[in-house]
């Protein structure tokens, strides 16, 4: 019996087509099985410092050609913690840019002034995240210059607010007060516990604001077992989880283990001076403990990689690249139960994952 034969050219074409399907899905972005979130992505990226209207911004952004399919580059607007600046998050930001995310990092006064122990520079209103969003909108409209070498435009339908500590409160607060659709995702790492101090409102966040933010966008809330920034370390994670219970939409809570976060380097391993100025490691970590620094990099100590970094990467890609598509590998990592999923991560001591289905809330 004759068997049909495929020409060599057709075979090559079929293989190439299959590889392309594996690398990207309908969104045009690589999925998390093709470009693992614990590794750098495929995009070259660059740094840009901008100061429109006297507000200082650092921007890390892809310089490659925009993939076919997306309308523009997704954006994360990230607000730092109290007393911390760019270099405490730089490796994570560079990784997110390598996966095709434009990261906008605003400063309240400046990199130098924000990154000091005293005098304290603070804001929990979300004003500077809003300034970041205004800059993104101006760049997309042509009212402000784009970063040099950025190819394509910015996708205003795929924006995330994110932050650590003070920045986490800012992200929740501005998302809660913004119209639905302003952002697709809110990432709050180690926010001040809700409704009570220290410090008292308006610095802390309220359950009502958490609910409002979660009703308008996906919510990721991370903390750790050993965060002593807000009182006894043993108290923080449980309190944060009770705050998370106010969320009524698609949301993920994870408390990272003390063992994972206590692996943060000792201050004796830090250089005294970083590329952006004095680090003052002891002055910053002494008051909060290592657990509060679990989302951070360790400037000058590259061996430390935050255990939270991978899951921020997964979350951003699941939402901003794949629109939380249940068929995407990024979704499986975030919400699934496989060996590489968030639920299977040994660095996570406690978690709660929930999905909104029709009019009901399902705990995954």
């Amino acid at each position: 019996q004759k068997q049909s034969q495929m020409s060599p050219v057709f075979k090559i074409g079929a293989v190439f087509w299959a590889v392309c399907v594996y690398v990207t899905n309908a969104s045009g972005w690589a999925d998390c099985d093709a470009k693992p979130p614990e590794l750098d992505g495929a995009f070259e990226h660059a740094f840009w410092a901008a100061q429109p209207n006297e507000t200082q911004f650092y921007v890390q952004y892809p310089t490659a050609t925009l993939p076919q399919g997306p309308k523009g580059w997704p954006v994360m607007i990230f607000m730092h913690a109290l007393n911390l600046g760019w270099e405490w998050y730089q490796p994570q930001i560079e990784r997110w840019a390598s996966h095709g995310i434009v990261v906008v990092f605003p400063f309240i006064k400046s990199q130098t002034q924000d990154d000091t122990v005293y005098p304290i520079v603070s804001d929990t209103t979300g004003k500077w995240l809003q300034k970041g969003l205004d800059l993104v909108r101006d760049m997309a409209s042509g009212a402000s210059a784009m970063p040099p070498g950025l190819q394509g435009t910015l996708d205003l339908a795929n924006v995330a607010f994110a932050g650590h500590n003070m920045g986490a409160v800012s992200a929740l607060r501005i998302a809660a007060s913004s119209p639905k659709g302003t952002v697709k995702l809110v990432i709050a790492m180690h926010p001040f516990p809700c409704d009570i101090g220290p410090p008292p409102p308006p610095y802390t966040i309220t359950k009502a604001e958490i609910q409002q933010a979660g009703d308008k966008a996906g919510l990721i809330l991370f903390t750790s077992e050993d965060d002593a920034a807000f009182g006894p370390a043993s108290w923080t994670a449980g309190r944060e989880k009770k705050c998370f219970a106010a969320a009524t939409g698609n949301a993920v809570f994870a408390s990272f283990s003390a063992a994972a976060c206590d692996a943060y380097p000792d201050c004796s391993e830090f250089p005294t001076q970083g590329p952006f100025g004095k680090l003052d490691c002891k002055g910053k970590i002494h008051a909060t403990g290592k657990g509060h620094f679990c989302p951070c990099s360790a400037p000058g100590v590259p061996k430390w990689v935050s255990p939270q970094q991978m899951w921020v990467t997964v979350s951003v890609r699941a939402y901003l690249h794949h629109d939380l598509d249940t068929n995407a590998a990024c979704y499986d990592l975030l919400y699934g139960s496989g060996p590489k999923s968030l639920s299977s991560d040994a660095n996570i001591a406690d978690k709660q994952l929930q999905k909104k289905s029709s009019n009901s809330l399902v705990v995954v």
Side-chain angles (χ1 to χ4, degrees), residues 47-173:
F47 169 84
W48 183 52
Q51 195 158 346
N53 302 320
E54 300 183 352
T55 299
Q56 186 178 25
F57 296 93
Y58 285 176
V59 183
Q60 197 78 30
Y61 59 98
T63 54
T65 302
L66 182 71
Q68 290 187 352
K71 297 178 180 178
W73 298 99
V75 179
M76 177 198 291
I77 307 169
F78 188 101
M79 190 68 204
H80 59 79
L82 194 70
N83 308 124
L84 299 183
W86 171 263
E87 57 201 330
W88 297 87
Y89 308 97
Q90 186 175 358
Q92 297 95 306
I93 290 169
E94 291 176 348
R95 174 151 296 168
W96 301 329
S98 79
H99 282 284
I101 307 295
V102 173
V103 185
V104 176
F105 193 100
F107 295 97
I108 299 170
K109 290 189 175 179
S110 71
Q111 158 62 33
T112 303
Q113 291 172 284
D114 288 17
D115 193 9
T116 55
V117 175
Y118 186 83
I120 292 173
V121 177
S122 68
D123 176 79
T124 56
T125 66
K127 177 180 178 181
W128 271 264
L129 286 171
Q130 182 63 52
K131 284 176 177 280
L133 181 59
D134 292 343
L135 174 65
V136 168
R137 288 171 170 169
D138 285 348
M139 289 192 295
S141 70
S144 289
M146 284 282 199
L150 179 72
Q151 302 185 50
T153 188
L154 304 176
D155 186 355
L156 298 181
N158 284 291
V159 177
F161 284 145
H164 172 213
N165 176 252
M166 172 187 78
V169 173
S170 293
L172 289 164
R173 180 157 287 143

Side-chain angles (χ1 to χ4, degrees), residues 191-322:
F192 304 143
C194 64
D195 293 329
I196 60 174
Y203 300 102
T204 190
I205 197 72
T206 66
K207 284 184 179 178
E209 289 172 305
I210 291 172
Q211 179 179 352
Q212 291 161 7
D215 285 344
K216 295 175 179 179
L219 174 62
I220 307 294
L221 198 158
F222 289 160
T223 187
S224 70
E225 287 185 314
D226 57 338
D227 189 336
F230 315 113
S234 59
W235 173 89
T236 301
R239 181 67 198 181
E240 297 278 31
K241 190 173 184 180
K242 289 179 180 177
C243 297
F244 173 82
T248 55
N250 297 331
V252 172
F253 167 86
S255 173
F256 288 75
S257 71
C261 297
D262 275 345
Y264 192 82
D266 293 328
C267 287
S268 60
E269 301 178 60
F270 283 64
T272 57
Q273 193 83 1
F276 298 94
K278 185 180 178 182
L279 292 177
D280 200 3
C281 174
K282 289 183 179 179
K284 294 172 180 178
I285 293 181
H286 175 74
T288 65
K290 291 183 176 182
H292 193 62
F293 280 70
C294 203
C296 296
S297 63
V301 190
K303 70 177 183 179
W304 163 260
V305 178
S306 166
Q308 298 181 15
Q309 174 184 275
M310 171 178 169
W311 298 113
V312 175
T313 308
V314 168
S315 301
V316 171
R317 293 173 67 189
Y319 275 91
L320 304 190
H321 282 172
H322 303 292

Side-chain angles (χ1 to χ4, degrees), residues 313-339:
T313 308
V314 168
S315 301
V316 171
R317 293 173 67 189
Y319 275 91
L320 304 190
H321 282 172
H322 303 292
D323 200 24
L324 210 61
D325 181 357
T326 57
N327 294 313
C330 292
Y331 176 92
D332 284 341
L333 288 178
L334 188 61
Y335 272 104
S337 57

